[in-house]
Structure formats: C-alpha cells, structure tokens
Amino acid sequence: MSELTACEKLELIRHKNRPTVNDYIPAIFTRFMEFHGDRLYGDDAAIIGGIGYLSDTPVTVLAQVKGRTLEENKKTNFSMPHPEGYRKALRLAKQAEKFRRPVICLVDTPGAFCGIEAEKRGQGEAIARNLYEFMTLKTPVISVILGEGGSGGALALAVCDELAMLENALYSVISPRGAASILWKDGTREKDACEVLKITAEDLMRFGVCDKIIPEPEGGAHVSKEQTADSIYEYLVDAVYRFRQADIDTLLANRYQKFRKIGMFTE
Amino acid sequence: MAIEDLFKVVKARFVDEQPAQTAEKDVEIPQDLLFKCPRCGGVVYNEEFVRAMKVCPKCGYHARLTWKERLDLTADKGSFREFDADMKSLNPIGFPKYEEKIARMQQQCDMNDAIVTGECTIRGYRCVIGIMDSHFMMASMGSVVGEKITRAFEYAAEHKLPVVMFTASGGARMQEGIISLMQMAKTSGAVKLHSDAGGLYIAVMTDPTTGGVTASFASLGDIIIAEPKVLIGFAGRRVIQDTIRQRLPDDFQSAEFQQNCGFADMIVERGMMRKRISNILKLHGFPKEVTGR
Ligand SMILES: [Zn+2]
C-alpha cells in the first residue's frame, strides 16, 4: 500500500490523465448499454446509467462522469449532478431491484451542483430520496469511489452493502479548499486541510466507512488504465459473488447496520 | 464557465454552510431592547417581538427559537420526557479546537448538542419530538445529532408513535469529517425504517434548514410543514449568487419558494402550529390522551 499523504493523493486524482468512467466502463463491463432520463424532467449527462454484463452477470451501472477535456466537462457539468441525475439513478436502481440485478455505483464527483435550477428542482430532496430508497433496495449495491467523493453528491450513490475506494481516492464531507477557507480564512491552504480532514482510503477504513481498498499501479491509476480497470473488475466480481449469496433480509439488515453504527459519542 | 469559477463556487458553498454569525448578532441585540429583523430590516421593541412568539410584526418572518422556547410553544406543559440527555460529542478526527468549541456551546445554549429529542403530548396526542437549535453551532449534524435522531425514529417505530421533527441546520458538521456525512445516510435509513413500520413523520422546517439536513431526514417527511419566510435550501445562497453572477430574488429558497416548487406541503404560522400538528395526528387515528394533571 502506498505511503502517500492526503495532499499527494489530491494531486494524483487531479492528474489530467486520471482515468474516468469513460475508460472504466468499456474495460470492466461487456455489452454495456446506456439508459437515459429520469422520466420526470430530463437527462443529466453527469450521471451515466445503464445495464451490461460483469463477467457473465447482468448488472446495473450508475456512474458519475468526469470529463478530461473542457468540452467533455461542459457536457457532464464537471461531474456535478443535478436532481434529475440522482432521480435517473434511483429510477434505474428500482429497475435493477425489480429484475434482481446487482447495482454497481462508480462515484467520482466534486459534489452535487449548486445553482438556481438545481434548487428549484429539489437538489436536497433528490439526494435525500436516494439515501432513503437505497437503504432498503432489495438487491446488492456495491459502490466504488474512483477519485473524488464529494460530500452528499457522492453519498447519494454510496448507500451500499460495501464501499470500496481506489487507493488514491478521497471521500470527504467538505472540499479541502472549503475547509481551509473556514479554518484559516485561506483557501490556498487546502494542503493543510487535506491532512486535518482524514479523507484517504486508509483513514476511512479506520472509521468503518470504507470496506475495501483497490490498489492502483505504482504512480497512480493513470500509469496503467488497463491494470486499474482489471483490479476494479476483480474486486467487483468477487463482491457481487459474495453479496448475491446472502438472503435479502440479511443483506438489508447488514446494510442498515453498516451506517447505523457510525458515530462517536459518550453518554 | 471557467474551471476556476467552478472551484470558487464549490469553495464558497462550503463557506456558506458555516454558522451565519453576523446574521445571528443582528438578531440578538445585546441590550435586549430592540429586535432588528434580518429579512426586512425592520426594528421593533424586543418585548413586542417576544410577545408575538418571535415573529417579525412587520414582515412575518419567523425568527429562530431556542429549543426551550420551541418546546414551550409546542408540547403540553409537563408532558416532555427527554431521550439521551447526556449524549455528548467526541472528536473523531481530532479536529483542532473542536472540544473547546463544543464546551463553549454547551454552556451558552444549555444543551449538550444541537438537538433535543424526547416524547411528549401535543394537545393530548402522544408523539416523539425532535427540536434542532440553530444557536448551537448552527445545528450542524455530527454524531450526536445523527444518533439522537436515529434513536428517536427507532423508538417511534417500536412504539408505533408519530414523529414530529423541527428541523434547522447549516448542514453537516465539518469538524467530524466523514463521520458527519454518514449521519445523513444513517438518519435517512431510520426514517425509512419508521416509515416501513407504518409510522407517520411530520417534518417542520424552521429557519434555516439547509445543506446535509435538507439532503436527508428533513426532506423525507410524510408531511412537510414550513414556517413562513424561513430559509430552506440545499446550497448556500451566496454560492449560487456567485455562479450566476446576478442578484437572486429575495424570496429565493424561502418557505414560499419551496412550496411553489413542490417541496413543502404547507406553510403554517407559529401561532397555529400546535393546533395544526394535533389535527394531523388526530386525523391519522392516534388516540387523545386524558392527562391526569
Ligand atoms: Zn421582518
């Protein structure tokens, strides 16, 4: 396992060649087909949804889409979903439940989008509804954080039976930059904030938030897309196999407990 | 929009989630003589303002209450039995000066964390009640808030009781890092458990209901009530303003705005709240208790 600090990891996940779901989906799933729209308002390109095979198992894939070029990012809004993105994800998750397909969530977002339209269409309600419904979705849900796990916008696709993180991925309640401006009134001190916030995969393993760490090639995921995709694939095949063995009641009881037990207090 | 602008947006959003200290100071004039409304800027004698249950007589803004004031206005006298009164926060990520901040808040607000939960009757109807108090670290949600809410819903599910939750929050509590984010999932799961058991949940959104609380249990009520003119939203107003680079309309993210957008069932004035809640409980078939006092 790497000895990198949180802020070194932050540099790595911002690397311009860091693979995105556009690299991973074709490498991990076969015969993937995309489904569009939330059936309520529109289609949000910040979240891809669809079905395909993982090895020989049909699965539903929900993935947040970071672009690598400005052009791509304009289309996917820098992977900051609107409410219709989360509602599309929920629609497809319900569909997966109906047809007993495991759900694979690939998380990579700075956060849910903040804007007038997002507020008008109920960004808060959309995220809340996902947390609520995914908690009792009667099919296995596996989430993998690929790069940035930005707050509620990431959590909306991370109420799951098992949360895995790529070795250099980060998952945080607030961006390091945001924390720095609150802590020291100085957003440029994001590197210091990085260490304070405890946001690496290793940190999150200790808190019981992250369950598995998927290794990246020496130097980061961009060094070998293929090798990283292989590691994710192997992890997912194993996880889906394990969670499909459990009966649904046990699965849901364990999922509830996974989140229920997180918290630190005295009484 | 340039990438740099977006980063600014994200940064500003998080800054916005923090306590609105300045606004708070405007509300609580030190000499306790005058109330200056943060919404309309109107100034009235504090005595008059308090007599009006802290509703601005000029614009109808429903100002923030302490948990005790809210409890007195809501529960039948002497009916309240508190849950988990001694629960206190730890410092899970070793955040600088967090313990000191908590200790100071505990002293200032006469509560151990930003929510009080318990059981009470409202005009004779028994329910589980939760009251968030924005004076305590802007009622941000950390381990204690998350755990108390979760237990309240679990208790209500077990005892077939309705839940009435007065929400107010600046969002997740940054000082508890990822643990605070997880409270969103945990509380939403508890609401689901209560709902699947047939429980009735009335959420009452008070000033301000924002961030991670709007994005979890606050938005999940079977019935969502809002107090007039209060702030309800996900992202901070300033962040959005920075994104679009123009002034937002004054009613943006108000209770009225949320009702128009379809996210609140009704807006109820403070003076009518007890009656409205008890009527809803009655309509759902809960029995009226005859108190022996
Ligand atoms: Zn006013």
Side-chain angles (χ1 to χ4, degrees), chain A residues 195-211:
Chain A
E195 307 304 326
V196 171
L197 286 170
K198 309 277 193 296
I199 54 179
T200 67
E202 289 91 339
D203 292 328
L204 301 198
M205 284 281 273
R206 278 192 290 116
F207 296 131
V209 172
C210 172
D211 303 297

Side-chain angles (χ1 to χ4, degrees), chain B residues 37 39-42 56 58-61:
Chain B
C37 178
R39 286 287 179 283
C40 71
C56 172
K58 300 214 157 128
C59 75
Y61 163 64

Side-chain angles (χ1 to χ4, degrees), chain B residues 178-196:
Chain B
I178 198 74
I179 308 283
S180 68
L181 187 69
M182 294 302 118
Q183 306 310 309
M184 290 169 61
K186 175 167 153 176
T187 53
S188 300
V191 175
K192 187 69 159 61
L193 179 113
H194 178 251
S195 181
D196 287 350

Side-chain angles (χ1 to χ4, degrees), chain B residues 135-197:
Chain B
H135 301 87
F136 192 107
M137 288 183 79
M138 210 50 192
S140 58
M141 175 158 63
S143 296
V144 173
V145 170
E147 180 71 19
K148 279 183 155 185
I149 288 172
T150 301
R151 286 190 193 179
F153 276 96
E154 288 174 346
Y155 178 90
E158 189 186 333
H159 294 86
K160 308 258 173 259
L161 287 169
V163 176
V164 178
M165 187 65 66
F166 289 87
T167 67
S169 185
R173 188 170 293 174
M174 174 188 75
Q175 292 86 346
E176 294 191 24
I178 198 74
I179 308 283
S180 68
L181 187 69
M182 294 302 118
Q183 306 310 309
M184 290 169 61
K186 175 167 153 176
T187 53
S188 300
V191 175
K192 187 69 159 61
L193 179 113
H194 178 251
S195 181
D196 287 350

Side-chain angles (χ1 to χ4, degrees), chain B residues 60-79:
Chain B
Y61 163 64
H62 281 48
R64 297 166 189 182
L65 300 179
T66 66
W67 70 269
K68 279 184 190 151
E69 290 168 335
R70 178 72 66 182
L71 185 67
D72 285 348
L73 285 180
T74 310
D76 296 333
K77 235 175 205 56
S79 73

Side-chain angles (χ1 to χ4, degrees), chain A residues 1 165-168 213-217 227-228 231-232 235:
Chain A
M1 224 26 88
M165 290 173 72
L166 279 185
E167 188 180 334
N168 294 314
I213 299 178
I214 301 173
E216 293 183 25
Q227 198 184 322
T228 312
S231 301
I232 299 172
Y235 163 71

Side-chain angles (χ1 to χ4, degrees), chain B residues 14-29:
Chain B
F14 288 119
V15 174
D16 232 48
E17 280 173 6
Q18 281 311 100
Q21 293 291 3
T22 48
E24 207 57 21
K25 273 178 199 132
D26 283 346
V27 180
E28 304 292 341
I29 301 244

